[in-house]
C-alpha cells in the first residue's frame, strides 16, 4: 500500500515539475500577498490546483492543506492528510528562476509518513519516509555526519537573527558560518545532504511538513524552539539539525 | 594577442578544475589559518602552485599575486599582474563539497583586462573582459536587468550586517531579501546572472579581482563604500551591484 502510494506521489511530483518548467517558458503573473516581497504567481496557483486535484483522485478520502487556499479546511489530523507547497521560495522563483522547490507531505493520524521535496531546476526529487528510507532520485541517502555547531555551516532566518530573539547571534558566533538560500525546501535539502548542520526558521505547515518527514527518517532533530512539541496544523519556530547541533543550540538558547 | 592569452588562461582554468576534482576523490588535509572557521587545504596550496607555475610559462615577465603566498611580492601594478584565488570559499569546499570557485584575473598597468571564475561543481567557467565581453562557457552574457534595491535579492556579508556599520540593516529593509552563499566567486556569478542585485563585502585582492573585470564589463557598478577608488593591491569594502541598486544604497549609507 505504502509503496503504491509512494509511486503515485513520486509520479505526481515529476508531473508538477514538468508543468512548472513549461510555465516558466511562457509569461506568468506575479502578485503581492502581504507586502512587496511576499509574492504569489499564477504558477503557484496552477500547481496547487493540479496537485490538489490529483491527490483527490489518488486518495479520495484524504484531506489537503495547501498554501494558496485550494485545499480543505482541516481541523483534525485523523486519517491521511496531505500538505502541499506548490512553489516554495516564490521570491527565488520570480527573481532567480532557480533555488525553489515543490513540496508534498503525507501524514497519517498526525504521524509523518511520506515526504517529497522537488528541487525543480536541479532535477532532484528527495523522497521517502520512515518505512522507505530517504532517497534522492534513485540513490538512497545515509544519515549526515553528526557534526557539532562549531563544525557546521548553519542557516538562521535573518529576520529572527537580527531581532536578537533567543540570542541567536551568539549561536551564530559558535558556528562555522551562515548561509541563506531563501527556500525552506532548498535549506532542508542542504541539511539532509550534510551541507548545513542546522536550519532554524519560523515555518508554516507547508514549509515544514515534507522536510520534517525526511529529516526525522535520517535521524536528524526537528524540534520547536519555544514549545514542547511540533504542531502540524500551525506555524512552528523550529530547528532542523544534527543531534549534536541541536544539543549545542539548546544549551545556548535556554 | 588578447585572444591567444585568453585561450591559454581558459585552458588553465579547466586544468585547475580537473586537478581539483581529482584531489576531492582522494584525501586532502585541512588546516586552520587565523581561527577555527578560516581554513586552508592542501588543494588550495596545490592549485595555487600549479596555476602560478603555469602563468610563469604563459607570461614569463608578469607578476603574480596569489592568496596562499606562492606568488610574488607585488608593490607596483606596472605591466601585467595576475591575481589568483586557488579555492575561493574554502569553508564551502571543506563542509559542502560545492559552492566554491577558482578565480584568476589579469590586470595591465592597473587596468582590468581579463577575469575568470570557475564554478567547479557546476562545470561553468565565467570568463572575458572589456575587449571580449563576458561569457559562461560558450554563451555570451548580456547585462542583467537594472533592478532597484526594492526589487533585488542582495548579499551583505553577515559580519558587517550584524555590526550595524553604515546602517546596512536599513539597506536590507529596503531590499526584497537576503541571500548568503559563502563564496565571493559564487556571489559574483549570481550578480552577473541577475539573480542578486548586489554583493557587498570586505574583499581581499583575490576575492575581488576577477569578478570586478566581469562585472564592469557588463556595466555593473563596482565601488568602494568608504574610499574614493578601488585598490587592486589591498582589501576593499566594496559593492558589486546594478547601477540602480548602487544609487539606492549610496543614498541610504551616506
Amino acid at each position: 500500500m505504502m509503496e503504491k502510494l509512494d509511486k503515485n506521489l513520486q509520479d505526481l511530483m515529476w508531473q508538477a515539475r514538468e508543468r512548472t518548467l513549461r510555465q516558466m517558458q511562457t509569461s506568468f503573473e506575479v502578485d503581492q500577498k502581504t507586502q512587496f516581497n511576499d509574492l504569489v504567481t499564477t504558477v503557484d496557483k496552477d500547481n496547487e490546483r493540479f496537485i490538489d486535484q490529483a491527490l483527490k483522485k489518488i486518495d479520495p478520502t484524504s484531506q489537503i492543506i495547501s498554501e494558496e487556499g485550494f485545499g480543505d479546511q482541516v481541523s483534525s489530523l485523523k486519517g491521511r492528510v496531505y500538505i502541499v507547497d506548490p512553489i516554495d521560495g516564490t521570491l527565488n522563483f520570480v527573481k532567480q528562476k532557480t533555488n525553489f522547490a515543490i513540496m508534498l507531505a503525507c501524514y497519517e493520524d498526525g504521524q509523518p509518513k511520506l515526504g517529497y521535496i522537488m528541487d525543480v531546476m536541479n532535477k532532484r526529487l528527495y523522497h521517502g519516509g520512515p518505512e522507505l528510507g530517504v532517497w534522492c532520485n534513485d540513490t538512497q541517502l545515509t544519515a549526515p555526519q553528526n557534526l557539532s555547531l562549531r563544525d557546521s555551516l548553519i542557516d538562521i532566518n535573518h529576520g529572527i537573527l537580527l531581532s536578537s530573539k533567543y540570542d541567536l547571534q551568539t549561536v551564530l558566533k559558535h558556528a562555522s558560518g551562515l548561509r541563506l538560500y531563501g527556500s525552506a525546501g532548498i535549506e532542508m535539502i542542504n541539511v539532509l545532504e550534510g551541507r548545513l548542520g542546522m536550519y532554524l526558521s519560523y515555518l508554516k505547515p507547508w514549509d515544514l511538513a515534507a522536510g520534517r518527514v525526511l529529516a526525522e527518517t535520517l535521524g536528524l532533530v526537528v524540534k520547536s524552539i519555544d514549545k514542547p512539541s511540533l504542531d502540524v496544523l500551525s506555524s512552528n519556530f523550529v530547528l532542523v539539525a544534527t543531534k549534536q547541533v541541536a544539543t549545542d543550540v539548546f544549551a545556548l538558547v535556554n
Side-chain angles (χ1 to χ4, degrees), chain A:
Chain A
M1 165 65 200
M2 188 60 82
E3 281 75 9
K4 177 77 191 312
L5 180 59
D6 173 56
K7 170 78 172 57
N8 285 334
L9 298 178
Q10 283 193 52
D11 289 347
L12 175 57
M13 294 300 285
W14 287 108
Q15 289 165 30
R17 175 178 183 269
E18 284 304 319
R19 288 177 77 90
T20 304
L21 292 173
R22 271 204 307 277
Q23 290 176 93
M24 290 172 77
Q25 301 304 317
T26 65
S27 67
F28 56 84
E29 283 169 42
V30 181
D31 283 315
Q32 287 184 20
K33 290 164 85 173
T34 59
Q35 56 180 34
F36 79 99
N37 58 358
D38 180 18
L39 304 178
V40 64
T41 75
T42 44
V43 184
D44 297 70
K45 292 175 185 172
D46 178 85
N47 270 4
E48 181 164 313
R49 265 187 292 249
F50 170 73
I51 294 169
D52 287 8
Q53 284 168 11
L55 288 173
K56 286 291 178 194
K57 280 185 199 156
I58 292 170
D59 198 349
T61 63
S62 65
Q63 302 183 88
I64 301 171
I65 299 169
S66 53
E67 181 173 12
E68 310 306 341
F70 300 107
D72 305 308
Q73 293 294 330
V74 177
S75 55
S76 154
L77 288 170
K78 213 166 150 45
R80 269 194 296 278
V81 175
Y82 292 92
I83 306 176
V84 178
D85 195 338
I87 296 285
D88 169 73
T90 302
L91 203 51
N92 284 350
F93 176 72
V94 173
K95 306 277 182 194
Q96 302 196 316
K97 311 277 188 294
T98 187
N99 299 323
F100 62 92
I102 304 169
M103 299 201 284
L104 169 63
C106 175
Y107 283 62
E108 197 164 50
D109 294 328
Q111 294 306 306
K113 286 292 172 182
L114 294 166
Y116 303 85
I117 304 176
M118 173 63 82
D119 177 350
V120 172
M121 302 314 289
N122 288 309
K123 206 176 178 176
R124 287 192 192 123
L125 176 61
Y126 290 79
H127 58 96
E131 297 174 33
L132 302 170
V134 177
W135 301 74
C136 172
N137 295 346
D138 297 328
T139 305
Q140 188 162 12
L141 266 65
T142 52
Q145 212 187 329
N146 187 20
L147 292 177
S148 68
L149 180 59
R150 189 181 161 94
D151 280 334
S152 292
L153 297 170
I154 63 173
D155 180 308
I156 301 177
N157 171 289
H158 77 266
I160 303 171
L161 184 65
L162 291 172
S163 76
S164 308
K165 202 173 175 183
Y166 297 97
D167 200 14
L168 292 172
Q169 295 182 26
T170 299
V171 169
L172 177 57
K173 284 195 187 96
H174 286 77
S176 278
L178 183 69
R179 302 290 180 263
L180 297 173
Y181 304 114
S183 147
I186 300 298
E187 325 282 1
M188 297 281 196
I189 286 172
N190 276 286
V191 178
L192 297 176
E193 291 275 15
R195 296 191 289 254
L196 292 176
M198 176 177 75
Y199 173 44
L200 189 156
S201 191
Y202 189 75
L203 297 180
K204 297 195 171 158
W206 40 85
D207 295 322
L208 178 60
R212 178 187 167 192
V213 177
L214 301 177
E216 287 183 348
T217 299
L218 283 182
L220 293 159
V221 174
V222 184
K223 203 169 167 186
S224 168
I225 300 289
D226 54 359
K227 286 184 197 151
S229 63
L230 293 171
D231 184 344
V232 177
L233 291 176
S234 62
S235 296
N236 291 276
F237 182 36
V238 64
L239 63 70
V240 181
T242 69
K243 280 183 183 147
Q244 189 58 52
V245 168
T247 302
D248 295 346
V249 169
F250 279 105
L252 290 165
V253 299
N254 282 338

